[in-house]
Amino acid sequence: MNFLLVLWTMMPPYIANTIAVITGGRFPIDQGANLNDGNRILGDGKTWTGLIGGTLGGIFIGFLQLNYGNTIVENFSETEGEQLWGENPFVIFFLLAFGALLGDMVASFYKRRKNLDRGAKYPLLDMYDFIAMSLLLTITFGEGWLQTWIFDGFIPIFTLLILTPILHRGVNIIGFRIGLKNEPW
Ligand code: CTP
Ligand code: MG
């Protein structure tokens, strides 16, 4: 398993997470409600427009990759492009993309319980939440699709551990500079 192929395969969750920042901001999922601790359930940073936009955006990128990316895949790996996404590509794209947004929501729930306001910095959690849940959902419901390569030696896991925070931070700095994001993390 080559590290470029790992990145390619993880495009739906990375993109889902990025698109949510663009489409998000309206209709908070928790509808403004607090828990007993006096803090918001999730906060204003987790909205329906972000969840739906990000999920659809991730699925859309997956279909672009599936339909137009086979030669690219074959240029940088031994993998047969047409077989990369398995038997049920839609299910895989959905799990990867929705998992990313779900991980981000679970992290927000946890941050609010720790009395952290929306947008507060929480370095490791913010960097890995989306990819971790994306992998977890796909491993659980993806009928073995992810297992065939994610546990194929150290390269896949190592690639994700190293590159995820770099990409995450890089994209967020750009988002911050162009005014899409309130914080550069
Ligand atoms: N966003 C959204 N809905 C989501 C995820 C993200 O609307 N499900 C949008 C929000 O506008 C959010 C921005 O993307 O402010 C950046 O996302 P993130 O950094 O995850 O949210 P924070 O504002 O930092 O909130 P939290 O502290 O809860 O992570
Ligand atoms: Mg944040």
Side-chain angles (χ1 to χ4, degrees), residues 121-153:
K121 199 173 179 178
Y122 207 124
L124 289 174
L125 189 66
D126 279 338
M127 287 167 177
Y128 291 112
D129 55 12
F130 70 105
I131 208 77
M133 186 63 85
S134 185
L135 297 179
L136 186 66
L137 277 199
T138 311
I139 285 172
T140 311
F141 301 107
E143 297 176 334
W145 174 78
L146 193 61
Q147 282 87 325
T148 58
W149 62 263
I150 196 77
F151 300 127
D152 176 20

Side-chain angles (χ1 to χ4, degrees), residues 1 5 21 38 58 78 90 95 98 104 166 171 178:
M1 187 70 184
L5 194 57
V21 181
E78 308 280 284
F90 176 80
L95 293 169
F98 177 73
D104 180 52
I166 297 174
V171 166
I178 64 178

Side-chain angles (χ1 to χ4, degrees), residues 7 10 13-15 17-18 46 99-101 103-108 110-111 119-135 157 159-173 181 183-185:
L7 276 187
M10 290 297 112
Y14 287 132
I15 294 289
N17 201 50
T18 305
K46 303 299 116 139
L101 281 313
D104 180 52
M105 279 163 55
V106 171
S108 290
Y110 175 78
K111 287 183 277 187
K121 199 173 179 178
Y122 207 124
L124 289 174
L125 189 66
D126 279 338
M127 287 167 177
Y128 291 112
D129 55 12
F130 70 105
I131 208 77
M133 186 63 85
S134 185
L135 297 179
I157 302 281
T159 301
L160 291 179
L161 283 177
I162 303 291
L163 289 180
T164 298
I166 297 174
L167 283 173
H168 183 262
R169 196 63 211 269
V171 166
N172 285 345
I173 288 172
K181 227 179 162 297
E183 307 87 15
W185 51 80

Side-chain angles (χ1 to χ4, degrees), residues 67-86:
N67 289 313
Y68 303 105
N70 291 343
T71 37
I72 303 177
V73 169
E74 283 156 17
N75 278 336
F76 63 62
S77 78
E78 308 280 284
T79 305
E80 194 74 52
E82 278 179 30
Q83 284 156 23
L84 178 64
W85 301 101

Side-chain angles (χ1 to χ4, degrees), residues 25-51 104-113 116-118:
R26 293 188 55 123
F27 311 116
I29 295 167
D30 68 8
Q31 302 190 317
N34 288 352
L35 284 189
N36 302 337
D37 57 11
N39 298 328
R40 290 283 296 276
I41 303 175
L42 298 174
D44 284 331
K46 303 299 116 139
T47 65
W48 285 111
T49 52
L51 177 61
D104 180 52
M105 279 163 55
V106 171
S108 290
F109 179 84
Y110 175 78
K111 287 183 277 187
R112 298 301 91 81
R113 307 289 73 75
L116 292 166
D117 287 329
R118 170 192 181 180

